[in-house]
PDB file of all heavy atoms in Angstrom:
ATOM      1  N   ALA A   1       0.848  -1.194   0.000  1.00 98.00           N
ATOM      2  CA  ALA A   1       0.000   0.000   0.000  1.00 98.00           C
ATOM      3  C   ALA A   1       0.886   1.247   0.000  1.00 98.00           C
ATOM      4  O   ALA A   1       2.092   1.161   0.248  1.00 98.00           O
ATOM      5  CB  ALA A   1      -0.902  -0.006   1.230  1.00 98.00           C
ATOM      6  N   PRO A   2       0.324   2.412  -0.275  1.00 98.00           N
ATOM      7  CA  PRO A   2       1.143   3.631  -0.309  1.00 98.00           C
ATOM      8  C   PRO A   2       1.987   3.804   0.948  1.00 98.00           C
ATOM      9  O   PRO A   2       1.487   3.663   2.066  1.00 98.00           O
ATOM     10  CB  PRO A   2       0.098   4.744  -0.429  1.00 98.00           C
ATOM     11  CG  PRO A   2      -1.041   4.092  -1.154  1.00 98.00           C
ATOM     12  CD  PRO A   2      -1.086   2.698  -0.619  1.00 98.00           C
ATOM     13  N   ARG A   3       3.259   4.078   0.748  1.00 97.00           N
ATOM     14  CA  ARG A   3       4.153   4.362   1.878  1.00 97.00           C
ATOM     15  C   ARG A   3       5.342   5.175   1.367  1.00 97.00           C
ATOM     16  O   ARG A   3       5.718   5.096   0.196  1.00 97.00           O
ATOM     17  CB  ARG A   3       4.622   3.100   2.592  1.00 97.00           C
ATOM     18  CG  ARG A   3       5.518   2.186   1.807  1.00 97.00           C
ATOM     19  CD  ARG A   3       6.162   1.158   2.740  1.00 97.00           C
ATOM     20  NE  ARG A   3       5.248   0.131   3.196  1.00 97.00           N
ATOM     21  CZ  ARG A   3       5.462  -0.633   4.272  1.00 97.00           C
ATOM     22  NH1 ARG A   3       6.546  -0.470   4.997  1.00 97.00           N
ATOM     23  NH2 ARG A   3       4.605  -1.566   4.625  1.00 97.00           N
ATOM     24  N   ALA A   4       5.917   5.962   2.245  1.00 98.00           N
ATOM     25  CA  ALA A   4       7.017   6.855   1.873  1.00 98.00           C
ATOM     26  C   ALA A   4       8.262   6.046   1.539  1.00 98.00           C
ATOM     27  O   ALA A   4       8.485   4.961   2.071  1.00 98.00           O
ATOM     28  CB  ALA A   4       7.306   7.829   3.013  1.00 98.00           C
ATOM     29  N   TYR A   5       9.082   6.601   0.644  1.00 98.00           N
ATOM     30  CA  TYR A   5      10.355   5.989   0.304  1.00 98.00           C
ATOM     31  C   TYR A   5      11.389   6.404   1.352  1.00 98.00           C
ATOM     32  O   TYR A   5      11.682   7.587   1.523  1.00 98.00           O
ATOM     33  CB  TYR A   5      10.810   6.426  -1.082  1.00 98.00           C
ATOM     34  CG  TYR A   5       9.895   5.977  -2.212  1.00 98.00           C
ATOM     35  CD1 TYR A   5      10.046   6.500  -3.493  1.00 98.00           C
ATOM     36  CD2 TYR A   5       8.888   5.038  -2.001  1.00 98.00           C
ATOM     37  CE1 TYR A   5       9.218   6.090  -4.529  1.00 98.00           C
ATOM     38  CE2 TYR A   5       8.053   4.634  -3.021  1.00 98.00           C
ATOM     39  CZ  TYR A   5       8.227   5.165  -4.293  1.00 98.00           C
ATOM     40  OH  TYR A   5       7.409   4.755  -5.315  1.00 98.00           O
ATOM     41  N   ARG A   6      11.937   5.403   2.027  1.00 97.00           N
ATOM     42  CA  ARG A   6      12.886   5.653   3.103  1.00 97.00           C
ATOM     43  C   ARG A   6      13.967   4.583   3.086  1.00 97.00           C
ATOM     44  O   ARG A   6      13.963   3.698   2.233  1.00 97.00           O
ATOM     45  CB  ARG A   6      12.167   5.688   4.452  1.00 97.00           C
ATOM     46  CG  ARG A   6      11.243   6.903   4.578  1.00 97.00           C
ATOM     47  CD  ARG A   6      10.485   6.915   5.887  1.00 97.00           C
ATOM     48  NE  ARG A   6       9.689   8.127   6.012  1.00 97.00           N
ATOM     49  CZ  ARG A   6       8.481   8.198   6.552  1.00 97.00           C
ATOM     50  NH1 ARG A   6       7.917   7.111   7.036  1.00 97.00           N
ATOM     51  NH2 ARG A   6       7.835   9.348   6.629  1.00 97.00           N
ATOM     52  N   LYS A   7      14.869   4.641   4.052  1.00 97.00           N
ATOM     53  CA  LYS A   7      15.992   3.704   4.092  1.00 97.00           C
ATOM     54  C   LYS A   7      15.518   2.252   4.171  1.00 97.00           C
ATOM     55  O   LYS A   7      16.258   1.333   3.781  1.00 97.00           O
ATOM     56  CB  LYS A   7      16.897   4.023   5.279  1.00 97.00           C
ATOM     57  CG  LYS A   7      16.229   3.827   6.634  1.00 97.00           C
ATOM     58  CD  LYS A   7      17.178   4.161   7.777  1.00 97.00           C
ATOM     59  CE  LYS A   7      16.508   3.956   9.133  1.00 97.00           C
ATOM     60  NZ  LYS A   7      17.421   4.280  10.257  1.00 97.00           N
ATOM     61  N   PHE A   8      14.306   2.046   4.663  1.00 96.00           N
ATOM     62  CA  PHE A   8      13.771   0.692   4.786  1.00 96.00           C
ATOM     63  C   PHE A   8      13.255   0.146   3.461  1.00 96.00           C
ATOM     64  O   PHE A   8      12.875  -1.015   3.378  1.00 96.00           O
ATOM     65  CB  PHE A   8      12.642   0.668   5.816  1.00 96.00           C
ATOM     66  CG  PHE A   8      13.032   1.231   7.148  1.00 96.00           C
ATOM     67  CD1 PHE A   8      12.529   2.455   7.579  1.00 96.00           C
ATOM     68  CD2 PHE A   8      13.926   0.562   7.963  1.00 96.00           C
ATOM     69  CE1 PHE A   8      12.895   2.985   8.812  1.00 96.00           C
ATOM     70  CE2 PHE A   8      14.298   1.090   9.202  1.00 96.00           C
ATOM     71  CZ  PHE A   8      13.790   2.304   9.619  1.00 96.00           C
ATOM     72  N   GLY A   9      13.221   0.985   2.433  1.00 98.00           N
ATOM     73  CA  GLY A   9      12.771   0.533   1.127  1.00 98.00           C
ATOM     74  C   GLY A   9      11.780   1.483   0.487  1.00 98.00           C
ATOM     75  O   GLY A   9      11.222   2.368   1.145  1.00 98.00           O
ATOM     76  N   SER A  10      11.574   1.274  -0.794  1.00 98.00           N
ATOM     77  CA  SER A  10      10.623   2.083  -1.567  1.00 98.00           C
ATOM     78  C   SER A  10       9.482   1.177  -2.004  1.00 98.00           C
ATOM     79  O   SER A  10       9.211   0.999  -3.190  1.00 98.00           O
ATOM     80  CB  SER A  10      11.327   2.701  -2.784  1.00 98.00           C
ATOM     81  OG  SER A  10      12.455   3.446  -2.399  1.00 98.00           O
ATOM     82  N   TRP A  11       8.805   0.604  -1.029  1.00 98.00           N
ATOM     83  CA  TRP A  11       7.861  -0.472  -1.300  1.00 98.00           C
ATOM     84  C   TRP A  11       6.513   0.000  -1.823  1.00 98.00           C
ATOM     85  O   TRP A  11       5.820  -0.760  -2.509  1.00 98.00           O
ATOM     86  CB  TRP A  11       7.645  -1.286  -0.020  1.00 98.00           C
ATOM     87  CG  TRP A  11       8.913  -1.771   0.615  1.00 98.00           C
ATOM     88  CD1 TRP A  11       9.454  -1.371   1.796  1.00 98.00           C
ATOM     89  CD2 TRP A  11       9.818  -2.745   0.088  1.00 98.00           C
ATOM     90  NE1 TRP A  11      10.627  -2.032   2.056  1.00 98.00           N
ATOM     91  CE2 TRP A  11      10.879  -2.883   1.016  1.00 98.00           C
ATOM     92  CE3 TRP A  11       9.848  -3.510  -1.078  1.00 98.00           C
ATOM     93  CZ2 TRP A  11      11.949  -3.758   0.828  1.00 98.00           C
ATOM     94  CZ3 TRP A  11      10.911  -4.386  -1.276  1.00 98.00           C
ATOM     95  CH2 TRP A  11      11.944  -4.501  -0.342  1.00 98.00           C
ATOM     96  N   GLY A  12       6.101   1.193  -1.509  1.00 98.00           N
ATOM     97  CA  GLY A  12       4.746   1.627  -1.831  1.00 98.00           C
ATOM     98  C   GLY A  12       4.466   1.707  -3.317  1.00 98.00           C
ATOM     99  O   GLY A  12       5.299   2.162  -4.103  1.00 98.00           O
ATOM    100  N   ALA A  13       3.263   1.266  -3.711  1.00 98.00           N
ATOM    101  CA  ALA A  13       2.816   1.478  -5.092  1.00 98.00           C
ATOM    102  C   ALA A  13       2.722   2.974  -5.373  1.00 98.00           C
ATOM    103  O   ALA A  13       2.930   3.419  -6.510  1.00 98.00           O
ATOM    104  CB  ALA A  13       1.457   0.825  -5.308  1.00 98.00           C
ATOM    105  N   LYS A  14       2.404   3.732  -4.342  1.00 98.00           N
ATOM    106  CA  LYS A  14       2.437   5.190  -4.357  1.00 98.00           C
ATOM    107  C   LYS A  14       3.200   5.623  -3.119  1.00 98.00           C
ATOM    108  O   LYS A  14       3.407   4.828  -2.207  1.00 98.00           O
ATOM    109  CB  LYS A  14       1.002   5.765  -4.324  1.00 98.00           C
ATOM    110  CG  LYS A  14       0.099   5.268  -5.434  1.00 98.00           C
ATOM    111  CD  LYS A  14      -1.361   5.612  -5.164  1.00 98.00           C
ATOM    112  CE  LYS A  14      -1.677   7.041  -5.458  1.00 98.00           C
ATOM    113  NZ  LYS A  14      -3.133   7.329  -5.351  1.00 98.00           N
ATOM    114  N   GLU A  15       3.589   6.890  -3.077  1.00 98.00           N
ATOM    115  CA  GLU A  15       4.316   7.378  -1.904  1.00 98.00           C
ATOM    116  C   GLU A  15       3.378   7.866  -0.808  1.00 98.00           C
ATOM    117  O   GLU A  15       3.791   7.997   0.351  1.00 98.00           O
ATOM    118  CB  GLU A  15       5.292   8.474  -2.321  1.00 98.00           C
ATOM    119  CG  GLU A  15       6.394   7.955  -3.233  1.00 98.00           C
ATOM    120  CD  GLU A  15       7.388   9.022  -3.631  1.00 98.00           C
ATOM    121  OE1 GLU A  15       8.057   9.580  -2.730  1.00 98.00           O
ATOM    122  OE2 GLU A  15       7.488   9.325  -4.842  1.00 98.00           O
ATOM    123  N   TYR A  16       2.157   8.130  -1.153  1.00 98.00           N
ATOM    124  CA  TYR A  16       1.110   8.469  -0.186  1.00 98.00           C
ATOM    125  C   TYR A  16      -0.224   8.261  -0.878  1.00 98.00           C
ATOM    126  O   TYR A  16      -0.303   8.259  -2.119  1.00 98.00           O
ATOM    127  CB  TYR A  16       1.260   9.894   0.352  1.00 98.00           C
ATOM    128  CG  TYR A  16       1.336  10.985  -0.707  1.00 98.00           C
ATOM    129  CD1 TYR A  16       0.199  11.691  -1.088  1.00 98.00           C
ATOM    130  CD2 TYR A  16       2.546  11.313  -1.310  1.00 98.00           C
ATOM    131  CE1 TYR A  16       0.261  12.691  -2.046  1.00 98.00           C
ATOM    132  CE2 TYR A  16       2.620  12.304  -2.278  1.00 98.00           C
ATOM    133  CZ  TYR A  16       1.479  12.990  -2.635  1.00 98.00           C
ATOM    134  OH  TYR A  16       1.541  13.987  -3.599  1.00 98.00           O
ATOM    135  N   SER A  17      -1.267   8.063  -0.116  1.00 98.00           N
ATOM    136  CA  SER A  17      -2.544   7.629  -0.695  1.00 98.00           C
ATOM    137  C   SER A  17      -3.116   8.610  -1.698  1.00 98.00           C
ATOM    138  O   SER A  17      -3.726   8.212  -2.693  1.00 98.00           O
ATOM    139  CB  SER A  17      -3.567   7.369   0.422  1.00 98.00           C
ATOM    140  OG  SER A  17      -3.269   6.178   1.113  1.00 98.00           O
ATOM    141  N   ALA A  18      -2.946   9.906  -1.445  1.00 97.00           N
ATOM    142  CA  ALA A  18      -3.535  10.915  -2.327  1.00 97.00           C
ATOM    143  C   ALA A  18      -2.625  11.277  -3.496  1.00 97.00           C
ATOM    144  O   ALA A  18      -2.972  12.161  -4.286  1.00 97.00           O
ATOM    145  CB  ALA A  18      -3.872  12.176  -1.528  1.00 97.00           C
ATOM    146  N   GLN A  19      -1.490  10.631  -3.637  1.00 98.00           N
ATOM    147  CA  GLN A  19      -0.571  10.976  -4.726  1.00 98.00           C
ATOM    148  C   GLN A  19      -1.241  10.754  -6.080  1.00 98.00           C
ATOM    149  O   GLN A  19      -1.814   9.695  -6.328  1.00 98.00           O
ATOM    150  CB  GLN A  19       0.703  10.143  -4.645  1.00 98.00           C
ATOM    151  CG  GLN A  19       1.757  10.543  -5.668  1.00 98.00           C
ATOM    152  CD  GLN A  19       3.030   9.707  -5.564  1.00 98.00           C
ATOM    153  OE1 GLN A  19       2.983   8.543  -5.170  1.00 98.00           O
ATOM    154  NE2 GLN A  19       4.162  10.304  -5.901  1.00 98.00           N
ATOM    155  N   PRO A  20      -1.162  11.731  -6.992  1.00 97.00           N
ATOM    156  CA  PRO A  20      -1.746  11.552  -8.325  1.00 97.00           C
ATOM    157  C   PRO A  20      -1.095  10.376  -9.052  1.00 97.00           C
ATOM    158  O   PRO A  20       0.113  10.152  -8.943  1.00 97.00           O
ATOM    159  CB  PRO A  20      -1.441  12.871  -9.025  1.00 97.00           C
ATOM    160  CG  PRO A  20      -1.222  13.857  -7.917  1.00 97.00           C
ATOM    161  CD  PRO A  20      -0.596  13.074  -6.803  1.00 97.00           C
ATOM    162  N   ALA A  21      -1.899   9.635  -9.785  1.00 97.00           N
ATOM    163  CA  ALA A  21      -1.381   8.474 -10.510  1.00 97.00           C
ATOM    164  C   ALA A  21      -0.283   8.868 -11.492  1.00 97.00           C
ATOM    165  O   ALA A  21       0.636   8.078 -11.747  1.00 97.00           O
ATOM    166  CB  ALA A  21      -2.521   7.777 -11.245  1.00 97.00           C
ATOM    167  N   ALA A  22      -0.356  10.079 -12.028  1.00 98.00           N
ATOM    168  CA  ALA A  22       0.652  10.533 -12.983  1.00 98.00           C
ATOM    169  C   ALA A  22       2.047  10.571 -12.374  1.00 98.00           C
ATOM    170  O   ALA A  22       3.047  10.510 -13.092  1.00 98.00           O
ATOM    171  CB  ALA A  22       0.282  11.912 -13.519  1.00 98.00           C
ATOM    172  N   GLN A  23       2.128  10.674 -11.044  1.00 98.00           N
ATOM    173  CA  GLN A  23       3.416  10.726 -10.358  1.00 98.00           C
ATOM    174  C   GLN A  23       3.860   9.359  -9.835  1.00 98.00           C
ATOM    175  O   GLN A  23       4.917   9.261  -9.191  1.00 98.00           O
ATOM    176  CB  GLN A  23       3.331  11.703  -9.185  1.00 98.00           C
ATOM    177  CG  GLN A  23       2.997  13.127  -9.565  1.00 98.00           C
ATOM    178  CD  GLN A  23       2.804  14.014  -8.344  1.00 98.00           C
ATOM    179  OE1 GLN A  23       3.098  13.619  -7.214  1.00 98.00           O
ATOM    180  NE2 GLN A  23       2.286  15.223  -8.564  1.00 98.00           N
ATOM    181  N   ALA A  24       3.089   8.321 -10.094  1.00 98.00           N
ATOM    182  CA  ALA A  24       3.342   7.002  -9.498  1.00 98.00           C
ATOM    183  C   ALA A  24       3.373   5.924 -10.584  1.00 98.00           C
ATOM    184  O   ALA A  24       2.355   5.282 -10.854  1.00 98.00           O
ATOM    185  CB  ALA A  24       2.275   6.687  -8.452  1.00 98.00           C
ATOM    186  N   PRO A  25       4.535   5.705 -11.219  1.00 98.00           N
ATOM    187  CA  PRO A  25       4.587   4.748 -12.335  1.00 98.00           C
ATOM    188  C   PRO A  25       4.236   3.319 -11.936  1.00 98.00           C
ATOM    189  O   PRO A  25       3.617   2.591 -12.726  1.00 98.00           O
ATOM    190  CB  PRO A  25       6.036   4.853 -12.827  1.00 98.00           C
ATOM    191  CG  PRO A  25       6.799   5.481 -11.714  1.00 98.00           C
ATOM    192  CD  PRO A  25       5.827   6.381 -11.019  1.00 98.00           C
ATOM    193  N   LYS A  26       4.583   2.902 -10.728  1.00 98.00           N
ATOM    194  CA  LYS A  26       4.236   1.537 -10.312  1.00 98.00           C
ATOM    195  C   LYS A  26       2.717   1.388 -10.188  1.00 98.00           C
ATOM    196  O   LYS A  26       2.144   0.378 -10.624  1.00 98.00           O
ATOM    197  CB  LYS A  26       4.919   1.211  -8.974  1.00 98.00           C
ATOM    198  CG  LYS A  26       6.425   1.065  -9.063  1.00 98.00           C
ATOM    199  CD  LYS A  26       7.048   0.661  -7.743  1.00 98.00           C
ATOM    200  CE  LYS A  26       6.957   1.746  -6.695  1.00 98.00           C
ATOM    201  NZ  LYS A  26       7.722   1.416  -5.468  1.00 98.00           N
ATOM    202  N   TYR A  27       2.101   2.380  -9.616  1.00 98.00           N
ATOM    203  CA  TYR A  27       0.646   2.330  -9.433  1.00 98.00           C
ATOM    204  C   TYR A  27      -0.068   2.299 -10.782  1.00 98.00           C
ATOM    205  O   TYR A  27      -1.005   1.514 -10.983  1.00 98.00           O
ATOM    206  CB  TYR A  27       0.213   3.540  -8.611  1.00 98.00           C
ATOM    207  CG  TYR A  27      -1.275   3.655  -8.367  1.00 98.00           C
ATOM    208  CD1 TYR A  27      -1.969   2.664  -7.693  1.00 98.00           C
ATOM    209  CD2 TYR A  27      -1.982   4.778  -8.805  1.00 98.00           C
ATOM    210  CE1 TYR A  27      -3.328   2.777  -7.454  1.00 98.00           C
ATOM    211  CE2 TYR A  27      -3.337   4.899  -8.569  1.00 98.00           C
ATOM    212  CZ  TYR A  27      -4.016   3.891  -7.899  1.00 98.00           C
ATOM    213  OH  TYR A  27      -5.361   4.012  -7.670  1.00 98.00           O
ATOM    214  N   ARG A  28       0.377   3.129 -11.716  1.00 98.00           N
ATOM    215  CA  ARG A  28      -0.239   3.123 -13.053  1.00 98.00           C
ATOM    216  C   ARG A  28      -0.084   1.763 -13.714  1.00 98.00           C
ATOM    217  O   ARG A  28      -1.009   1.261 -14.374  1.00 98.00           O
ATOM    218  CB  ARG A  28       0.377   4.203 -13.943  1.00 98.00           C
ATOM    219  CG  ARG A  28       0.060   5.622 -13.542  1.00 98.00           C
ATOM    220  CD  ARG A  28       0.265   6.601 -14.700  1.00 98.00           C
ATOM    221  NE  ARG A  28       1.524   6.395 -15.399  1.00 98.00           N
ATOM    222  CZ  ARG A  28       2.709   6.875 -15.017  1.00 98.00           C
ATOM    223  NH1 ARG A  28       2.768   7.593 -13.886  1.00 98.00           N
ATOM    224  NH2 ARG A  28       3.800   6.660 -15.712  1.00 98.00           N
ATOM    225  N   ALA A  29       1.075   1.160 -13.535  1.00 98.00           N
ATOM    226  CA  ALA A  29       1.300  -0.159 -14.136  1.00 98.00           C
ATOM    227  C   ALA A  29       0.358  -1.199 -13.530  1.00 98.00           C
ATOM    228  O   ALA A  29      -0.206  -2.034 -14.254  1.00 98.00           O
ATOM    229  CB  ALA A  29       2.750  -0.577 -13.934  1.00 98.00           C
ATOM    230  N   LEU A  30       0.173  -1.160 -12.221  1.00 98.00           N
ATOM    231  CA  LEU A  30      -0.738  -2.106 -11.569  1.00 98.00           C
ATOM    232  C   LEU A  30      -2.156  -1.944 -12.094  1.00 98.00           C
ATOM    233  O   LEU A  30      -2.834  -2.930 -12.428  1.00 98.00           O
ATOM    234  CB  LEU A  30      -0.711  -1.901 -10.057  1.00 98.00           C
ATOM    235  CG  LEU A  30       0.623  -2.166  -9.342  1.00 98.00           C
ATOM    236  CD1 LEU A  30       0.509  -1.788  -7.868  1.00 98.00           C
ATOM    237  CD2 LEU A  30       1.067  -3.600  -9.494  1.00 98.00           C
ATOM    238  N   LEU A  31      -2.623  -0.694 -12.176  1.00 97.00           N
ATOM    239  CA  LEU A  31      -3.985  -0.444 -12.651  1.00 97.00           C
ATOM    240  C   LEU A  31      -4.158  -0.889 -14.099  1.00 97.00           C
ATOM    241  O   LEU A  31      -5.151  -1.540 -14.453  1.00 97.00           O
ATOM    242  CB  LEU A  31      -4.322   1.043 -12.522  1.00 97.00           C
ATOM    243  CG  LEU A  31      -4.499   1.604 -11.110  1.00 97.00           C
ATOM    244  CD1 LEU A  31      -4.841   3.091 -11.180  1.00 97.00           C
ATOM    245  CD2 LEU A  31      -5.566   0.847 -10.336  1.00 97.00           C
ATOM    246  N   ASN A  32      -3.206  -0.545 -14.944  1.00 97.00           N
ATOM    247  CA  ASN A  32      -3.334  -0.883 -16.362  1.00 97.00           C
ATOM    248  C   ASN A  32      -3.191  -2.375 -16.600  1.00 97.00           C
ATOM    249  O   ASN A  32      -3.857  -2.935 -17.485  1.00 97.00           O
ATOM    250  CB  ASN A  32      -2.308  -0.102 -17.179  1.00 97.00           C
ATOM    251  CG  ASN A  32      -2.643   1.376 -17.257  1.00 97.00           C
ATOM    252  OD1 ASN A  32      -3.772   1.786 -16.971  1.00 97.00           O
ATOM    253  ND2 ASN A  32      -1.674   2.200 -17.626  1.00 97.00           N
ATOM    254  N   PHE A  33      -2.340  -3.033 -15.836  1.00 98.00           N
ATOM    255  CA  PHE A  33      -2.236  -4.483 -15.977  1.00 98.00           C
ATOM    256  C   PHE A  33      -3.555  -5.140 -15.593  1.00 98.00           C
ATOM    257  O   PHE A  33      -4.027  -6.055 -16.287  1.00 98.00           O
ATOM    258  CB  PHE A  33      -1.100  -5.030 -15.109  1.00 98.00           C
ATOM    259  CG  PHE A  33      -0.956  -6.525 -15.200  1.00 98.00           C
ATOM    260  CD1 PHE A  33      -0.270  -7.102 -16.256  1.00 98.00           C
ATOM    261  CD2 PHE A  33      -1.520  -7.358 -14.236  1.00 98.00           C
ATOM    262  CE1 PHE A  33      -0.147  -8.484 -16.355  1.00 98.00           C
ATOM    263  CE2 PHE A  33      -1.404  -8.736 -14.330  1.00 98.00           C
ATOM    264  CZ  PHE A  33      -0.706  -9.300 -15.389  1.00 98.00           C
ATOM    265  N   MET A  34      -4.174  -4.704 -14.503  1.00 96.00           N
ATOM    266  CA  MET A  34      -5.466  -5.276 -14.110  1.00 96.00           C
ATOM    267  C   MET A  34      -6.533  -5.010 -15.158  1.00 96.00           C
ATOM    268  O   MET A  34      -7.365  -5.868 -15.448  1.00 96.00           O
ATOM    269  CB  MET A  34      -5.891  -4.713 -12.747  1.00 96.00           C
ATOM    270  CG  MET A  34      -5.114  -5.266 -11.577  1.00 96.00           C
ATOM    271  SD  MET A  34      -5.799  -4.803  -9.966  1.00 96.00           S
ATOM    272  CE  MET A  34      -5.330  -3.074  -9.852  1.00 96.00           C
ATOM    273  N   ARG A  35      -6.499  -3.819 -15.741  1.00 95.00           N
ATOM    274  CA  ARG A  35      -7.476  -3.485 -16.787  1.00 95.00           C
ATOM    275  C   ARG A  35      -7.326  -4.404 -17.997  1.00 95.00           C
ATOM    276  O   ARG A  35      -8.329  -4.884 -18.552  1.00 95.00           O
ATOM    277  CB  ARG A  35      -7.275  -2.034 -17.211  1.00 95.00           C
ATOM    278  CG  ARG A  35      -8.215  -1.545 -18.319  1.00 95.00           C
ATOM    279  CD  ARG A  35      -7.665  -0.278 -18.944  1.00 95.00           C
ATOM    280  NE  ARG A  35      -6.378  -0.536 -19.612  1.00 95.00           N
ATOM    281  CZ  ARG A  35      -5.510   0.416 -19.926  1.00 95.00           C
ATOM    282  NH1 ARG A  35      -5.753   1.677 -19.613  1.00 95.00           N
ATOM    283  NH2 ARG A  35      -4.371   0.093 -20.532  1.00 95.00           N
ATOM    284  N   ASP A  36      -6.095  -4.657 -18.395  1.00 96.00           N
ATOM    285  CA  ASP A  36      -5.838  -5.433 -19.618  1.00 96.00           C
ATOM    286  C   ASP A  36      -5.758  -6.932 -19.364  1.00 96.00           C
ATOM    287  O   ASP A  36      -5.779  -7.716 -20.325  1.00 96.00           O
ATOM    288  CB  ASP A  36      -4.523  -4.969 -20.267  1.00 96.00           C
ATOM    289  CG  ASP A  36      -4.563  -3.511 -20.700  1.00 96.00           C
ATOM    290  OD1 ASP A  36      -5.679  -2.985 -20.914  1.00 96.00           O
ATOM    291  OD2 ASP A  36      -3.482  -2.894 -20.805  1.00 96.00           O
ATOM    292  N   ASN A  37      -5.655  -7.317 -18.095  1.00 97.00           N
ATOM    293  CA  ASN A  37      -5.488  -8.741 -17.768  1.00 97.00           C
ATOM    294  C   ASN A  37      -6.395  -9.132 -16.616  1.00 97.00           C
ATOM    295  O   ASN A  37      -5.937  -9.318 -15.480  1.00 97.00           O
ATOM    296  CB  ASN A  37      -4.033  -9.033 -17.392  1.00 97.00           C
ATOM    297  CG  ASN A  37      -3.053  -8.766 -18.506  1.00 97.00           C
ATOM    298  OD1 ASN A  37      -2.769  -9.650 -19.320  1.00 97.00           O
ATOM    299  ND2 ASN A  37      -2.532  -7.548 -18.576  1.00 97.00           N
ATOM    300  N   PRO A  38      -7.692  -9.244 -16.876  1.00 96.00           N
ATOM    301  CA  PRO A  38      -8.582  -9.716 -15.807  1.00 96.00           C
ATOM    302  C   PRO A  38      -8.154 -11.116 -15.370  1.00 96.00           C
ATOM    303  O   PRO A  38      -7.488 -11.841 -16.121  1.00 96.00           O
ATOM    304  CB  PRO A  38      -9.957  -9.718 -16.468  1.00 96.00           C
ATOM    305  CG  PRO A  38      -9.692  -9.740 -17.933  1.00 96.00           C
ATOM    306  CD  PRO A  38      -8.411  -9.020 -18.139  1.00 96.00           C
ATOM    307  N   CYS A  39      -8.509 -11.479 -14.163  1.00 96.00           N
ATOM    308  CA  CYS A  39      -8.001 -12.729 -13.587  1.00 96.00           C
ATOM    309  C   CYS A  39      -8.241 -13.909 -14.530  1.00 96.00           C
ATOM    310  O   CYS A  39      -9.276 -14.012 -15.162  1.00 96.00           O
ATOM    311  CB  CYS A  39      -8.611 -12.976 -12.215  1.00 96.00           C
ATOM    312  SG  CYS A  39     -10.403 -13.202 -12.208  1.00 96.00           S
ATOM    313  N   TRP A  40      -7.260 -14.766 -14.639  1.00 96.00           N
ATOM    314  CA  TRP A  40      -7.227 -15.811 -15.656  1.00 96.00           C
ATOM    315  C   TRP A  40      -7.248 -17.228 -15.101  1.00 96.00           C
ATOM    316  O   TRP A  40      -7.362 -18.192 -15.858  1.00 96.00           O
ATOM    317  CB  TRP A  40      -5.976 -15.635 -16.520  1.00 96.00           C
ATOM    318  CG  TRP A  40      -4.709 -15.623 -15.704  1.00 96.00           C
ATOM    319  CD1 TRP A  40      -4.002 -16.698 -15.236  1.00 96.00           C
ATOM    320  CD2 TRP A  40      -4.040 -14.469 -15.215  1.00 96.00           C
ATOM    321  NE1 TRP A  40      -2.919 -16.285 -14.493  1.00 96.00           N
ATOM    322  CE2 TRP A  40      -2.908 -14.914 -14.466  1.00 96.00           C
ATOM    323  CE3 TRP A  40      -4.245 -13.086 -15.330  1.00 96.00           C
ATOM    324  CZ2 TRP A  40      -2.016 -14.036 -13.836  1.00 96.00           C
ATOM    325  CZ3 TRP A  40      -3.359 -12.220 -14.706  1.00 96.00           C
ATOM    326  CH2 TRP A  40      -2.256 -12.690 -13.978  1.00 96.00           C
ATOM    327  N   TRP A  41      -7.113 -17.396 -13.787  1.00 95.00           N
ATOM    328  CA  TRP A  41      -7.003 -18.737 -13.245  1.00 95.00           C
ATOM    329  C   TRP A  41      -8.373 -19.309 -12.902  1.00 95.00           C
ATOM    330  O   TRP A  41      -9.359 -18.578 -12.749  1.00 95.00           O
ATOM    331  CB  TRP A  41      -6.100 -18.741 -12.013  1.00 95.00           C
ATOM    332  CG  TRP A  41      -6.506 -17.752 -10.959  1.00 95.00           C
ATOM    333  CD1 TRP A  41      -7.332 -17.968  -9.892  1.00 95.00           C
ATOM    334  CD2 TRP A  41      -6.116 -16.369 -10.883  1.00 95.00           C
ATOM    335  NE1 TRP A  41      -7.473 -16.824  -9.158  1.00 95.00           N
ATOM    336  CE2 TRP A  41      -6.733 -15.824  -9.741  1.00 95.00           C
ATOM    337  CE3 TRP A  41      -5.293 -15.549 -11.668  1.00 95.00           C
ATOM    338  CZ2 TRP A  41      -6.573 -14.491  -9.368  1.00 95.00           C
ATOM    339  CZ3 TRP A  41      -5.132 -14.221 -11.291  1.00 95.00           C
ATOM    340  CH2 TRP A  41      -5.754 -13.710 -10.155  1.00 95.00           C
TER     341      TRP A  41
END
């Protein structure tokens, strides 16, 4: 989930919950992958 980038890692899909998607490439990738690849199993 969104979390700040710090010495412990840059794990967040966004850096904070309200961050615009345009500033969060990982988050955009997650959303677009889900859009183009609905669950397949």
Side-chain angles (χ1 to χ4, degrees):
R3 67 167 73 199
Y5 296 168
R6 292 178 176 142
K7 65 180 180 180
F8 306 109
S10 305
W11 307 112
K14 304 167 78 173
E15 295 181 62
Y16 54 96
S17 287
Q19 186 179 30
Q23 299 175 10
K26 291 184 292 188
Y27 178 60
R28 291 200 313 277
L30 297 175
L31 290 180
N32 289 344
F33 179 82
M34 286 189 286
R35 179 197 64 199
D36 298 337
N37 298 271
C39 63
W40 56 82
W41 54 92

